[in-house]
Amino acid sequence: MTSPGQTPAAVLQVGPLKPSLQDTLHTSYGASVLPTDPAERAAFLAAHAEDVTVAVTSGRTGVDAALIDALPRLAAIVNFGVGYDTTDVHAAGARGIAVSNTPDVLTDCVADTAVGLMIDTLRGFSASDRFVRAGRWPAGNYPLTRQASDTRVGIIGLGRIGSAIAHRLTAFGCAISYHNRRQVPDSPFTYVGSPQELAAGVDVLVVAAAGGSQTRHLVDAATLAALGPHGYLINVARGSVIDEDALVAALVDGRLAGAGLDVFAHEPEVPEALLGLDNVVLLPHVGSATVQTRAAMEDLTLRNLDSFLTSGELVTPVPVPSGV
């Protein structure tokens, strides 16, 4: 953090952040908050755009090309979260703007969420809880569900989080295969060349790929059809990775057995057709939402900010395309 008497570089908060992080940015860095109202935002940028050198944001909001263009001295974008697909890294790279995220510190919690979603979706725990609360048990037992252990699981995206999910599910006796942009050297799991081929050979398809334009609708209607009426989909990545319209149609029509979803295409909006389906578990993007993980994410965000302000280097930079 900046020391007393030191003039901090102009820090701009873009979008809502963890309250304690917002307080620190304001009290220790003198950060301004970018207004959300269009007229107020325009007035703020007219008065202060030349001062801003660092933007702090989150995966929910990001910094788009228009805002990058409006900030002529912007030199770094510090992101609270592992996902940074809401930030235009191409526009940042064209300007030589560095971008950071918070990897590793949330891997375990997101992997735990994926496994929990898988168990809940296959075993129907949330739906059976509603069954009991509605007083329906005296009229008959809850229908039989599917076993989670010893199933065939395909993982799309065998990075940090995907690997942690695979490690956990190995303990459940699951047979693990995966699809990645490239094969992972020395991986004990079976590599499959396409999402559709992967889906055709598994009982559960877990999506753990990064978001962004390169993975948009990676899981499309054909992949969902390959997963089939006895297959389950789990998504802890980004809503954009799945063709959400195709997913909703498959679930409504009974062409998928079920889904566990922590993320959606247009958050916080959730397709209304999913709300009444007992074979779908819906979470409000809470994959990393534990006290411990969010504290670690906040700490790493501030370390990135401090490092850039003092040395011009980020602790956890992300690859940014260079040049125009």
Side-chain angles (χ1 to χ4, degrees), residues 59-243:
R60 173 181 295 184
T61 306
V63 178
D64 60 20
L67 183 55
I68 289 171
D69 287 344
L71 300 172
R73 295 182 59 236
L74 184 65
I77 299 169
V78 176
N79 186 65
F80 176 84
V82 68
Y84 52 90
D85 49 296
T86 50
T87 288
D88 194 322
V89 293
H90 293 280
R95 283 263 308 274
I97 297 168
V99 180
S100 69
N101 67 343
T102 57
D104 296 320
V105 294
L106 47 66
T107 295
D108 284 335
C109 274
V110 177
D112 290 349
T113 299
V115 174
L117 263 178
M118 175 177 155
I119 294 171
D120 193 350
T121 303
L122 270 66
R123 293 297 308 277
F125 288 150
S126 291
S128 58
D129 173 85
R130 293 191 294 271
F131 177 85
V132 171
R133 293 174 189 271
R136 296 167 59 193
W137 194 6
N141 289 333
Y142 190 78
L144 297 179
T145 58
R146 287 285 299 276
Q147 178 175 308
S149 56
D150 299 313
T151 53
R152 300 173 301 164
V153 178
I155 299 175
I156 294 183
L158 198 71
R160 295 179 180 93
I161 293 171
S163 295
I165 294 168
H167 175 72
R168 285 157 171 74
L169 292 178
T170 298
F172 282 74
C174 295
I176 307 294
S177 52
Y178 73 97
H179 172 72
N180 232 32
R181 284 178 293 180
R182 59 187 64 87
Q183 192 167 352
V184 178
D186 302 321
S187 172
F189 309 116
T190 303
Y191 176 74
V192 179
S194 73
Q196 187 172 339
E197 184 184 356
L198 179 66
V202 299
D203 305 301
V204 182
L205 186 64
V206 179
V207 182
S213 59
Q214 292 185 330
T215 59
R216 185 176 186 274
H217 291 185
L218 185 63
V219 178
D220 56 13
T223 301
L224 296 172
L227 188 56
H230 301 294
Y232 295 83
L233 180 89
I234 307 298
N235 189 9
V236 292
R238 283 288 187 265
S240 61
V241 181
I242 296 176
D243 182 338

